[in-house]
Amino acid sequence: MTAAVQAIAMFTVGLFALLVVVNRDPARQVVAMGMFGTSLAILFLVLQAPDVALSQIVVALAYPLMVLLTLSKVKERRR
Amino acid sequence: MNVRARAALFAIAGASTFVLLVWGLAGLPKFGHYGGPYGAVLNRVELRERHATSVVASVVFDYRGFDTAGEEFILFVAVMAVAMVLRVQREEKEAGSHARLGARALGDTSDAVRVAGILLIGPAVLLGLYVVAHGHATPGGGFQGGLVLSSAPLILYLVGRYLSFRRLNPVSLLDFGEGVGIGGFVVIGLIGLVAGIAFLDNVLPLGRPGSVFSAGTLPVINLSVGLGVAAGIVLILFEFLEQTLMIRRR
């Protein structure tokens, strides 16, 4: 039972990581990155590491935000 | 070097790397099989020695506390690097505090986002303080609680005007808080030296395991690290937001 949950979580992480890499547009990659971060936090929780899961949740929140801000600044510069 | 030669070189290097990878992966212990002695030893002695019910916290701040002090300085240097790279340069100027920032800063935030955000700010602060204060008893600790605490100003930026977010986060206060938080770790360690024992050794009374005031200096270190990390992350976000919304070319 535990092994099944762990396998599903790992498979989901791999799927979302593939999704991030396959997208070429950075704005879409940011959305995929948010999903990937959440699934990674769930994987850490399933593997019995709640400290790491807590950190991962907040970092997966802050990092796409920074990417989006950089993107908007770069687009404005180019205009 | 033409394409064929490059392809041949890659084939050789790729094949050898693949062989090494498979050999290494085949030699790994089984998934979930813990072979090392330290985990078992820690499980036996930790509660008696430190009265902290979270073994992870006691490893991070006591048994391997010196490494954690170095890691906190990594965060400090990262914040400093971001502030230096995103500073106002000679050919840029900062828009005044009464500037018209346009639709991007004021935002067409929907009312649903606003209500959800306002409802979430209080619980975020409370949860962050709880995780920091109970770092030695339950999963979490200074770093994780500081991160959760830093999400509260972020929600404030999401639901409100950027200018009010800016007024609420004076940079000098954040700088002071971050320095006090991260330097406090070293100061608590030095108290151990002053008291005649090792650096970062325990000087406060160990209480009843599981209560908030237990595990000696661990809650104090957690509080200081939580403050430092929260202030540092808010500073990083603040620098990014300043650079995007307020700084313009001359």
Side-chain angles (χ1 to χ4, degrees), chain A residues 6 51 55 66 72-73 76, chain B residues 31 104 144 243-244 247:
Chain A
Q6 284 174 351
D51 296 41
S55 307
M66 281 192 245
S72 96
K73 181 77 180 185
E76 167 205 295
Chain B
F31 179 75
R104 192 175 26 183
Q144 286 84 359
Q243 179 73 11
T244 312
I247 295 183

Side-chain angles (χ1 to χ4, degrees), chain B residues 104-134:
Chain B
R104 192 175 26 183
L106 302 184
D108 300 328
T109 336
S110 69
D111 287 334
V113 172
R114 283 224 174 96
V115 171
I118 291 176
L119 286 178
L120 277 178
I121 289 184
V125 171
L126 197 62
L127 182 67
L129 287 174
Y130 168 81
V131 170
V132 167
H134 287 75

Side-chain angles (χ1 to χ4, degrees), chain B residues 174-198:
Chain B
L174 286 176
D175 276 335
F176 180 68
E178 193 206 2
V180 161
I182 294 186
F185 197 127
V186 179
V187 164
I188 294 174
L190 286 174
I191 292 179
L193 274 181
V194 163
I197 35 182

Side-chain angles (χ1 to χ4, degrees), chain B residues 10-105:
Chain B
F10 171 70
I12 298 173
S16 46
T17 308
F18 183 70
V19 164
L20 276 175
L21 196 65
V22 168
W23 178 58
L25 283 176
L28 283 175
K30 282 165 56 88
F31 179 75
H33 165 75
Y34 182 69
Y38 295 113
V41 168
L42 274 175
N43 273 333
R44 265 208 314 272
V45 306
E46 193 271 333
L47 199 60
R48 217 181 331 123
E49 284 189 3
R50 195 75 199 210
H51 286 207
T53 42
S54 167
V55 183
V56 174
S58 84
V59 167
V60 163
F61 289 116
D62 185 13
Y63 291 101
R64 293 283 179 264
F66 198 63
D67 296 357
T68 311
E71 284 168 16
E72 299 301 329
F73 280 105
I74 293 179
L75 178 68
F76 189 66
V77 168
V79 173
M80 206 169 13
V82 166
M84 269 200 287
V85 166
L86 297 180
R87 69 192 184 283
V88 180
Q89 293 174 323
R90 236 176 302 145
E91 63 265 8
E92 295 169 344
K93 69 172 168 48
E94 197 171 305
S97 49
H98 300 294
R100 294 173 27 117
L101 290 176
R104 192 175 26 183

